[in-house]
Amino acid sequence: MKKILVLVVDYPNNEGGVALMYVHVRNKYYIQHDIDVTVLNFSSNEDYVIDGIPVITLKTYEKQNGSYEILVLHAPNIRNHYRFLRKYAERFSRMIYFFHGHEVLKINETYPKPFNYMKKNGILHVKFQDAYDTFKLLVWRKYLPSIAEKADFVFVSNWFYGEFRKYTKLDDVKLKNHVHIINNSVGKIFEEKSYQYQGNAMYDFITIRSYMDDAKYGVDLVDGLARKYPQYSFLIIGRGKYYEIHEKPENVTWVNRFLSHEEIMKYIDASRCGLLLTREDTQGVMTCELSVYGIPVITSDIEVCREICSKLRNVELVENDVNKINLPQVYEKLMELPMVEKEREYSYENTVKKEENLIRGGYDFITIRNMLDQSVYCIDLLCRIAEHNPEKRFLLIGRGKYFDFNRKPENIIWVNSYLTHEQMLHYINHSKCALMLTRRDTQGVMACELATYGIPLITSDIPICHEIFDDMEKVYFIDNAQVGLIKLTDYLIAIPEGEKSKKFFSGSTIKREVDLIK
C-alpha cells in the first residue's frame, strides 16, 4: 500500500468548511483503493479526521517525523509548499504536483477585473500582485526542473498547461516529459445519481457558485440576463455580497449559503437548465458535474470551455455579453434535446483512476494504437487478456469508438487522444511492458519503435511478427487464440534482458533508401 502525504493550503473540516473540496474528493477515492492518505493542512491549528482521512498540522508533521513514500502537492504556493520543500523534499522518493490555477498564472493578466466593491487599495495592490507573481514564477521556473527527475506534473486541462508554459517558460523537455493532463473528477454523487426532473420545475435556470463575489464566475452576467428576460425564473446559490450591493431582480431567488451535495441535488431537480457562465477557469468542474448529472447546461464560449465541453452533448456555449445572448433561443434548443446516456468523460474511471495509477508507479502493460476500431489491432483480445488478469494495470492509448459499443474492463485505463512522441515516451517510461497484438501487419512500426526504445514487448505469434522480431531480444510471442487463458505474469518473467537493438535505426533503414535513390 502506497503511503502519501498531501499538502494543501486549506481543507474541508467537520464544522462545514468546504475549502479545496476537489482535493477531498480525490482523497476519498484514494483510500477506497488501498492508498494510505494523510493530509497536511497549512491553515489548520489542530489535527482532525474527516471521512476517515487524518488531517494534520505542520507542527504535528515536524514532531512525528512520519515516513511517507510520495509527496502530493495541490495548488503549490511559495509561502507554504515551497518552504516545506526546501526543508523536507529529500525525505520523499517521488513528488506529484497538481496545478489548479492562480499558483502559476499572472493574476492581473489572466483573471478578470474584480467587481468595484471588491477592489483593494487601487494601484498599490495591483503593483504588489504583479511583483509577487513575477517572484513566484521565477522561483518555480528555477526549482521545478531541478526536481523533475523524481516528479510528475498534473494539469487539469490542456488550456491551463498552455498558460503554465507561457508564464513559467517551462515545457515538456525541461520537465523531463513528466507532464500529465488529467481532468478533475466530478463528485461521486453526480456520477452515481441522475437528474430527476418531473416536468414541474420551480426555476428555469440554476446557477451554483460557492463564491459569488469573484468576477470570473459571471454572476453579474446572470443578473443581467434575469433583468433582460423577466419571463424566466432564476435560482442563484452561493455566498457573497453581490446582492447586498445590488438590488436583486424579482425573478431571482438567492440562496446565500454553502450547500451539501444532497441539498444541491434537490435544487437541480427543481430546475430546467444550468446557467454557469465564466470569464476564466481551468476546467469548470461544476459545469461538468451538472452535465454528467443530466441537466442541460449553458456556459461561456471561451477556450477552456470549448476544450472541456466539446464532448458533453447537453452543453451549449454563449458569448459573455448579455446583449448578444439570445437566451430563449438557446434555452429552447436545449429543452428539445433527447435524453442522452449518462456522460462518462469526467467519471472516476477517466480521471482519478489515472491519478491512482500515477501514485502506484504506472502501468503493467501499455498498448498504443492510432485507431482502435480496426480489428487488425486486436482491442477485443486486449480486453479478454485484461479480464483474465484483473490484478494487472493496462494502459491503452488511441482514438476510436470501440468502447462506445463494448464494455471496457476496469483495469484498462484508456487515453482517448493522439499523443506526441514526447508524451508517449512519458507513458512508456511509466510502463513495465508493451503489449502489441495484431492479426495482420506488414511490419508493425509502433511495435518496432517500442522494442527499439528498450521496453519489453509481447506481440502475436504470426509469421510477420516472427520475421520482424525473431532476432531481437526482450520480445515474446503469444497465440491470439489463447489470450483468454494466458496469465501475463509468467510472460513478464520469461522475457529476457537484452541490449538496445539498432535494427530499425535510420542507419539501417533510411540510409539504404538514400543509397538507392543516389
Side-chain angles (χ1 to χ4, degrees):
M1 178 182 289
K2 291 291 184 181
K3 189 174 182 181
I4 69 173
L5 179 67
V6 180
L7 300 188
V8 289
V9 74
D10 206 348
Y11 201 70
N13 57 47
N14 296 309
E15 284 70 53
V18 295
L20 273 67
M21 180 60 74
Y22 55 83
V23 180
H24 191 49
V25 168
R26 289 171 162 83
N27 291 341
K28 287 194 291 184
Y29 275 121
Y30 293 169
I31 63 173
Q32 291 172 16
H33 299 100
D34 297 322
I35 296 174
D36 186 335
V37 178
T38 299
V39 174
L40 195 166
N41 180 359
F42 289 115
S43 295
S44 182
N45 295 318
E46 59 182 25
D47 302 339
Y48 59 96
V49 176
I50 180 169
D51 295 329
I53 297 172
V55 182
I56 64 173
T57 66
L58 178 59
K59 287 183 179 179
T60 297
Y61 173 80
E62 292 172 335
K63 289 178 181 177
Q64 71 179 23
N65 196 20
S67 176
Y68 303 92
E69 296 172 75
I70 300 173
L71 181 66
V72 176
L73 307 93
H74 281 278
N77 65 26
I78 302 302
R79 178 183 177 185
N80 302 119
H81 302 71
Y82 180 67
R83 291 173 66 183
F84 182 93
L85 289 167
R86 298 291 293 178
K87 286 185 177 181
Y88 304 117
E90 293 183 359
R91 293 182 179 180
F92 302 89
S93 59
R94 285 184 62 218
M95 296 184 286
I96 303 177
Y97 291 76
F98 284 85
F99 296 104
H100 296 281
H102 66 276
E103 67 273 16
V104 287
L105 300 175
K106 283 194 173 182
I107 302 300
N108 291 326
E109 286 186 17
T110 309
Y111 283 62
K113 292 181 179 180
F115 295 138
N116 288 334
Y117 64 90
M118 294 296 293
K119 289 183 178 179
K120 303 175 183 177
N121 302 326
I123 192 65
L124 290 177
H125 178 78
V126 171
K127 288 186 175 181
F128 175 80
Q129 184 68 61
D130 287 342
Y132 175 75
D133 287 347
T134 299
F135 170 70
K136 77 183 181 188
L137 292 168
L138 179 62
V139 170
W140 292 131
R141 186 179 305 147
K142 291 185 176 181
Y143 181 74
L144 294 179
S146 72
I147 48 83
E149 200 65 54
K150 70 169 188 176
D152 288 279
F153 307 94
V154 179
F155 299 85
V156 298
S157 65
N158 284 290
W159 174 85
F160 181 40
Y161 180 44
E163 294 296 291
F164 169 88
R165 294 196 303 270
K166 171 183 173 181
Y167 287 113
T168 64
K169 311 301 181 186
L170 299 175
D171 56 19
D172 289 30
V173 175
K174 292 176 182 176
L175 297 179
K176 306 296 183 185
N177 295 311
H178 291 183
V179 173
H180 309 262
I181 308 300
I182 304 178
N183 303 121
N184 285 307
S185 170
V186 298
K188 190 174 183 180
I189 194 169
F190 292 98
E191 186 175 346
E192 293 180 344
K193 296 188 176 183
S194 296
Y195 181 46
Q196 299 297 316
Y197 172 62
Q198 301 297 325
N200 55 346
M202 294 178 61
Y203 311 100
D204 291 296
F205 299 98
I206 181 172
T207 297
I208 305 172
R209 295 304 189 191
S210 58
Y211 186 54
M212 290 174 56
D213 294 327
D214 193 331
K216 74 176 184 178
Y217 292 133
V219 173
D220 58 321
L221 300 176
V222 176
D223 179 84
L225 289 172
R227 297 176 190 277
K228 183 179 178 182
Y229 297 105
Q231 69 270 34
Y232 295 130
S233 56
F234 295 76
L235 171 64
I236 299 177
I237 299 173
R239 296 291 300 274
K241 300 178 181 179
Y242 189 86
Y243 284 124
E244 295 176 9
I245 306 298
H246 303 87
E247 182 181 354
K248 182 175 68 63
E250 290 185 1
N251 59 334
V252 170
T253 300
W254 175 34
V255 179
N256 182 22
R257 62 188 182 92
F258 297 121
L259 301 181
S260 67
H261 276 161
E262 289 74 13
E263 291 175 305
I264 287 175
M265 295 300 180
K266 294 177 182 178
Y267 281 113
I268 298 173
D269 288 340
S271 307
R272 298 191 70 194
C273 184
L275 181 58
L276 294 167
L277 303 181
T278 177
R279 292 183 170 97
E280 185 278 334
D281 217 316
T282 54
Q283 177 178 337
V285 177
M286 182 57 71
T287 297
C288 297
E289 289 181 327
L290 265 64
S291 173
V292 167
Y293 186 57
I295 187 173
V297 187
I298 298 171
T299 190
S300 297
D301 189 8
I302 61 175
E303 186 176 349
V304 67
C305 294
R306 289 192 289 272
E307 174 191 341
I308 295 299
C309 299
S310 62
K311 297 177 183 177
L312 301 176
R313 292 164 288 181
N314 57 349
V315 177
E316 282 290 320
L317 307 182
V318 297
E319 292 188 60
N320 280 333
D321 186 335
V322 172
N323 294 322
K324 294 182 179 179
I325 298 174
N326 187 332
L327 191 59
Q329 184 181 70
V330 179
Y331 183 43
E332 293 306 320
K333 179 180 179 181
L334 285 170
M335 292 304 102
E336 292 172 0
L337 287 177
M339 293 296 293
V340 297
E341 291 186 19
K342 197 168 184 66
E343 301 283 0
R344 309 298 301 174
E345 190 70 21
Y346 303 107
S347 65
Y348 158 79
E349 181 76 23
N350 292 320
T351 56
V352 179
K353 191 168 183 179
K354 294 178 182 179
E355 299 173 13
E356 291 174 353
N357 280 305
L358 194 60
I359 290 169
R360 292 191 182 100
Y363 311 91
D364 293 298
F365 298 94
I366 182 171
T367 300
I368 305 175
R369 296 301 189 189
N370 280 338
M371 178 58 67
L372 305 188
D373 298 328
Q374 296 182 16
S375 61
V376 64
Y377 294 134
C378 303
I379 303 306
D380 56 327
L381 302 186
L382 171 65
C383 290
R384 288 176 60 190
I385 289 179
E387 289 172 345
H388 195 62
N389 294 266
E391 76 286 358
K392 301 299 182 186
R393 299 192 298 277
F394 295 79
L395 174 64
L396 171 61
I397 299 173
R399 296 295 299 274
K401 299 179 180 179
Y402 185 86
F403 292 118
D404 289 346
F405 302 95
N406 299 276
R407 188 186 70 84
K408 182 174 68 63
E410 291 187 359
N411 56 335
I412 291 180
I413 303 299
W414 177 32
V415 178
N416 183 21
S417 63
Y418 298 119
L419 302 183
T420 65
H421 278 156
E422 289 75 17
Q423 290 171 320
M424 285 184 187
L425 291 184
H426 180 66
Y427 281 114
I428 296 168
N429 288 336
H430 280 78
S431 305
K432 296 178 183 177
C433 181
L435 180 59
M436 302 290 287
L437 302 182
T438 179
R439 290 186 169 95
R440 182 198 62 79
D441 217 317
T442 54
Q443 176 180 342
V445 175
M446 179 57 70
C448 295
E449 290 177 333
L450 291 165
T452 299
Y453 188 61
I455 187 173
L457 170 68
I458 296 175
T459 190
S460 296
D461 186 7
I462 60 176
I464 182 63
C465 293
H466 280 285
E467 176 188 341
I468 298 298
F469 297 111
D470 266 351
D471 58 349
M472 296 184 71
E473 298 175 316
K474 301 175 71 173
V475 178
Y476 205 94
F477 304 92
I478 60 176
D479 185 347
N480 287 345
Q482 300 296 314
V483 294
L485 305 174
I486 290 171
K487 279 294 182 183
L488 287 176
T489 299
D490 301 332
Y491 287 82
L492 280 176
I493 295 172
I495 295 175
E497 290 295 321
E499 298 295 326
K500 186 177 180 74
S501 173
K502 298 182 179 180
K503 181 176 181 179
F504 301 106
F505 278 21
S506 60
S508 303
T509 56
I510 294 177
K511 186 176 185 301
R512 294 168 64 185
E513 297 177 15
V514 172
D515 291 341
L516 188 62
I517 292 170
K518 290 179 179 179

